[in-house]
Amino acid sequence: MTFRNKIAISSEQHSLLAPQPPAEERKRAHWLSAELERHNYLYHTLDAPEISDEQYDALFRELTELEKRWPALRSPHSPTLRVGGGLLEGLNKKEHRRRMYGLDNVFSNEDWRDFVERMRRAWDAELNGPLPPAFWCDPKLDGLALEVIYVDGVLSGALTRGDGETGEVVTEAVRTIRTVPLRLRGEGPFPSLLEVRGEVVMFKKDFAALNEQQQALGRKPFANPRNAAAGALRQLDISITESRPLRFLAYNLGEVDWAATAPCLSQHELMERLKGYGFLIPPDGRLCVGPEEVEAYAAWVREHRQDFLMEIDGAVAKQDNLEAQEALGFTARAPRFAVAFKFPAMQAETLLTSIDIQVGRTGVLTPVAVLEPVAVGGVMVSRATLHNEDEIRARDVRVGDTVMVRRAGDVIPEVVGPVLARRPPDAVPFVFPHTCPACGEAAHRESGEAAWRCGNLSCPAVCLRAISHFVSKAGLDIQGVGQKWVEQLVKSGRVQSPADLFTLKAEELLGFERMGAVLAQKFVDTLENARHTATLSRLISALGIRHVGEQTARLLAGQFRDLDELGRADAEALQALPDVGPEVAASIRNFFESPANWAQLARFREVGLWPQSSRTTSGEEGSALEKTQNGPLHGKNVLFTGSLSLPRGRAQRLAEAAGAVLAGSVNKKLDYLVVGDKAGGKLDKAQALGVAVLDEAGFRALLAAAGITLDASE
Ligand code: IVH
């Protein structure tokens, strides 16, 4: 079946007859036109955008709507009719055999349904039969479009998109990209002419390494992988291109002469063919049948956006049937057969109002940008890390600057750099403080280190962080001793180290805000209980040794009897343990080599917080108390399911305190499955395997038998 192109392209040449817009709207449209053109140039030609993609899209949409409402405003020069930006001087230019179009965007499922509707209307069903329902979908890569040209299977040219009609010749630079085959793979025969289109990107990890290197060389870091890739590709000096880790991923064709080869009939077949020829293709592409499946795919990509190796800014849906693609054709600027689901930008600009210095648990001073709140990738951001003194200097970020902020993955938002065009004339370079903002003592920066540190062991900010960590879920998990109390206790000077908590008396607490006799007693009891039930693994994790999280702490507690024994272990003994590498071992040694830390440990011993591990053969830790060791949960594999009246984490901690080993799944080795409300498949499985099932009362009874007491309210 051959679909014929029977689409009437509506002409907009009647603007003089059309109703005239009010002066204000005319003015706005002119302004939008000029502004969009300026941003096009900044983005495409100079690789120096001043606004985020999201802001650009908003301007673009506003102009499109105005032109829709007032056809008289449309002009052949409108940026809404343009594909890309301009051309860089210095590179040779060449016309594309087929124009390289951009894609229209949809921002919601409603927009997408409208697009499908427009596609239906453009489709001549009488002539062509029903519109094929399948779409090839893949992630929208945030790089730059490139066309690579093969003649009889041999790479013979490469063009950037340029303005869509004419691109820059970058053949030599492209030859250095390892993922561009110099000859098509396979036996042939090959098409006599094959133009493959795709995206040049830099993987996130390569970008991070490149920026680190830039900085080490004292150069300005790149704003994002796209800019780094664009800069690399359009180098006149190709040795620079070669040194940058670029990749090309293919997703489309330009002109083709299939010659003696079988032509591809569908997009999904084409993707297979491209893979066979030796190209990388965008990951996780899928054939979706019907608009709903496309919506589900777009939602999936959006949710997994962070997990992709490269930056993506949306998902693309393309009519799968290539003849139907041809028949649907193009509007003035984009295909009618394909559309991009755009995700919110992960980058935005905002005002940097001040720079705060935060003091961490280990005394490190971290500069934090205080920002006018702005949405980045759908999340409001008002603070962003500036990492350290060198980073601020490398990016030359100043208070009063308008800055680009980005979020990558789940990581803390960061400031990319200033928008120099908006720098106030009186902005001055930031001077990193040489004193701790919390205690006023001199800070120091060791040679070879990026961080300034406060070395004052009783600095209130350091104490506060250390104690907060100590009582947190990652530490002893002492519920009821929250951040607010810790702050008050540290501020009063009564508590300067975690061990001080265990010397508190109820009477002393009465002076604190909202602390009555009952609460004060409860507070002291909670701490007393925590001291009794603390396991060695929890205590190790509570110490906040760098690189030692809960997992490693558990492992260490399974190997060493107590902190004395752990403290005596040398790096070699530590590294002999599974999962302990040189970095972790060194960090543990560092901790135990500090006399200040031993002083702190001595205080733990003094207040009776000195758990011993039972060193079970499984490598997991038992409990310190004899009663616990003889208790019914000791050494037993326990798993929780359903909801209990106390939080899951709390129940797990208690079980651990009673010497139990937390299991990950129901299997024959499981000793107890503790079930709460709404237990599901795990209960069925346990019963099928004959595993003992405990309800909450039964679990509490076993805890009591192990000498573990719960608060009255629990
Ligand atoms: S298909 C006729 N698939 O996004 C155009 N394009 O903003 C068909 N892009 O110009 C293009 N990832 O450079 C397609 N998986 C993908 C893409 C993709 C990124 C680029 C392409 C396009 C631009 C539009």
Side-chain angles (χ1 to χ4, degrees):
M1 176 170 47
T2 302
F3 300 122
R4 274 191 258 141
N5 193 342
K6 274 269 289 180
I7 293 144
I9 310 261
S10 62
S11 156
E12 311 298 353
Q13 301 307 313
H14 314 296
S15 40
L16 289 178
L17 305 176
Q20 295 302 306
E24 213 148 277
E25 308 221 336
R26 179 182 296 278
K27 232 168 90 188
R28 181 73 183 163
H30 281 156
W31 182 83
L32 285 166
S33 265
E35 192 66 359
L36 283 165
E37 279 299 76
R38 189 169 77 82
H39 289 303
N40 266 333
Y41 177 73
L42 287 168
Y43 182 92
H44 291 283
T45 307
L46 299 185
D47 291 325
E50 269 185 25
I51 58 173
S52 65
D53 291 6
E54 210 171 28
Q55 287 165 309
Y56 180 91
D57 288 339
L59 295 176
F60 194 94
R61 253 181 300 166
E62 190 185 342
L63 182 58
T64 312
E65 309 252 298
L66 271 177
E67 289 180 347
K68 215 180 332 170
R69 194 156 1 118
W70 303 105
L73 290 177
R74 295 182 194 177
S75 94
H77 312 298
S78 171
T80 59
L81 292 175
R82 224 172 122 92
V83 178
L87 302 171
L88 196 74
E89 290 302 318
L91 289 166
N92 288 330
K93 282 144 206 128
K94 200 170 167 220
E95 227 170 89
H96 292 286
R97 287 191 181 82
R98 283 187 181 216
R99 179 165 165 188
M100 277 180 91
Y101 285 87
L103 287 168
D104 273 338
N105 297 321
V106 294
F107 295 90
S108 65
N109 287 346
E110 290 70 55
D111 287 358
W112 155 247
R113 295 291 170 116
D114 288 348
F115 173 83
V116 174
E117 199 37 51
R118 281 199 300 280
M119 191 159 93
R120 282 229 167 83
R121 264 185 273 137
W123 178 257
D124 192 331
E126 235 164 76
L127 190 73
N128 295 321
L131 181 65
F135 292 89
W136 177 259
C137 298
D138 47 23
K140 184 170 185 300
L141 312 171
D142 191 9
L144 55 159
L146 179 75
E147 175 173 84
V148 285
I149 304 163
Y150 291 81
V151 174
D152 295 325
V154 179
L155 177 67
S156 72
L159 292 178
T160 64
R161 180 164 75 174
D163 63 4
E165 306 274 1
T166 305
E168 295 129 346
V169 179
V170 287
T171 317
E172 294 318 307
V174 165
R175 281 186 203 284
T176 69
I177 303 177
R178 305 288 146 103
T179 55
V180 173
L182 297 177
R183 281 169 183 278
L184 299 180
R185 282 176 69 94
E187 293 292 293
F190 297 113
S192 55
L193 173 70
L194 178 72
E195 294 183 340
V196 177
R197 292 173 175 181
E199 205 84 354
V200 174
V201 300
M202 199 178 279
F203 282 4
K204 290 187 251 186
K205 67 169 178 20
D206 295 331
F207 170 71
L210 175 67
N211 255 2
E212 231 163 70
Q213 191 189 332
Q214 284 287 110
Q215 218 166 307
L217 296 172
R219 299 199 188 125
K220 218 171 148 228
F222 294 99
N224 55 47
R226 204 199 73 84
N227 283 10
L233 188 64
R234 293 151 99 193
Q235 284 292 333
L236 292 171
D237 174 359
I238 65 156
S239 67
I240 298 181
T241 316
E242 195 167 11
S243 68
R244 306 250 176 100
L246 299 179
R247 300 183 205 235
F248 174 73
L249 293 95
Y251 49 64
N252 201 19
L253 291 180
E255 181 84 7
V256 199
D257 183 346
W258 294 106
T261 60
C264 285
L265 297 177
S266 66
Q267 185 79 32
H268 73 269
E269 210 182 293
L270 171 63
M271 301 316 281
E272 282 306 313
R273 182 81 61 96
L274 289 172
K275 264 201 291 191
Y277 284 156
F279 291 97
L280 272 182
I281 63 167
D284 296 304
R286 228 186 76 187
L287 192 64
C288 296
V289 181
E292 294 84 6
E293 272 189 40
V294 175
E295 284 162 26
Y297 177 84
W300 180 86
V301 174
R302 183 176 180 146
E303 195 180 317
H304 293 90
R305 177 177 188 174
Q306 316 301 348
D307 307 332
F308 285 85
L309 295 177
M310 70 294 287
E311 300 256 343
I312 60 169
D313 59 352
V316 182
K318 302 157 215 184
Q319 164 61 245
D320 188 51
N321 186 306
L322 293 185
E323 285 182 338
Q325 285 191 4
E326 186 103 343
L328 283 162
F330 300 84
T331 67
R333 65 177 296 270
R336 285 196 189 83
F337 56 81
V339 78
F341 279 78
K342 274 290 273 270
F343 302 153
M346 295 301 267
Q347 196 163 306
E349 42 173 81
T350 188
L351 190 72
L352 190 158
T353 52
S354 63
I355 295 177
D356 261 8
I357 302 291
Q358 234 173 39
V359 188
R361 176 152 54 81
T362 55
V364 170
L365 308 188
T366 304
V368 177
V370 181
L371 307 164
E372 205 129 276
V374 61
V376 186
V379 172
M380 286 310 279
V381 171
S382 56
R383 294 169 74 80
T385 181
L386 287 164
H387 302 287
N388 56 48
E389 181 182 25
D390 292 348
E391 286 266 347
I392 298 183
R393 197 170 294 144
R395 294 176 199 265
D396 186 22
V397 175
R398 306 179 183 188
V399 172
D401 270 342
T402 295
V403 292
M404 280 280 195
V405 181
R406 72 190 237 110
R407 242 163 32 91
D410 298 327
V411 303
I412 318 160
E414 62 167 356
V415 171
V416 176
V419 179
L420 290 177
R422 309 243 189 105
R423 167 165 289 170
D426 56 348
V428 290
F430 183 69
V431 181
F432 204 94
H434 294 190
T435 53
C436 170
C439 67
E441 292 216 1
H444 50 88
R445 182 179 166 174
E446 309 276 325
S447 70
E449 281 233 342
W452 284 85
R453 275 173 205 274
C454 169
N456 175 6
L457 288 174
S458 48
C459 168
V462 176
C463 292
L464 180 64
R465 299 252 167 192
I467 297 169
S468 297
H469 172 77
F470 188 84
V471 301
S472 77
K473 273 210 175 77
L476 289 196
D477 192 16
I478 310 181
Q479 305 211 341
V481 182
Q483 181 72 15
K484 286 223 176 67
W485 292 120
V486 174
E487 268 170 33
Q488 287 198 49
L489 289 165
V490 172
K491 208 160 140 202
S492 75
R494 171 61 180 84
V495 172
Q496 292 187 356
S497 84
D500 293 339
L501 286 171
F502 303 102
T503 64
L504 287 168
K505 302 270 174 304
E507 311 84 80
E508 297 177 84
L509 294 171
L510 291 173
F512 288 104
E513 226 177 279
R514 282 184 296 131
M515 186 67 101
V518 177
L519 190 53
Q521 190 54 49
K522 196 174 158 205
F523 198 85
V524 172
D525 289 347
T526 303
L527 284 161
E528 184 58 12
N529 190 37
R531 186 176 66 78
H532 268 298
T533 55
T535 60
L536 181 57
S537 73
R538 294 255 130 240
L539 182 59
I540 295 174
S541 159
L543 294 176
I545 304 171
R546 244 177 122 196
H547 305 306
V548 177
E550 293 175 78
Q551 185 84 18
T552 310
R554 229 175 283 146
L555 174 87
L556 295 170
Q559 298 296 326
F560 299 100
R561 184 153 36 90
D562 55 17
L563 291 175
D564 276 324
E565 206 179 278
L566 173 60
R568 280 196 301 268
D570 59 18
E572 205 179 326
L574 291 167
Q575 275 191 62
L577 303 176
D579 297 335
V580 175
E583 205 180 3
V584 178
S587 164
I588 297 171
R589 282 315 315 150
N590 252 343
F591 181 90
F592 286 103
E593 267 156 24
S594 143
N597 288 336
W598 275 112
Q600 195 186 117
L601 298 186
R603 300 275 335 274
F604 285 146
R605 204 193 307 253
E606 225 171 86
V607 299
L609 177 64
W610 203 255
Q612 308 276 310
S613 93
S614 59
R615 267 200 288 209
T616 54
T617 44
S618 68
E620 291 285 345
E621 178 198 15
S623 158
L625 299 172
E626 240 176 59
K627 198 169 175 190
T628 311
Q629 287 190 15
N630 299 328
L633 284 170
H634 190 255
K636 296 288 192 248
N637 293 309
V638 174
L639 181 67
F640 293 86
T641 186
S643 54
L644 303 172
S645 68
L646 65 169
R648 168 78 57 92
R650 171 79 176 137
Q652 289 174 330
R653 299 280 116 77
L654 291 164
E656 279 186 303
V661 177
L662 298 178
S665 63
V666 179
N667 56 41
K668 273 205 206 131
K669 280 202 256 158
L670 188 65
D671 295 299
Y672 293 114
L673 181 71
V674 183
V675 297
D677 283 349
K678 301 204 191 83
K682 288 203 178 91
L683 177 55
D684 300 339
K685 194 166 170 198
Q687 282 168 338
L689 290 172
V691 169
V693 173
L694 286 176
D695 62 7
E696 184 166 343
F699 171 61
R700 284 172 180 256
L702 294 191
L703 284 177
I708 310 282
T709 45
L710 277 72
D711 288 353
S713 63
E714 283 186 304

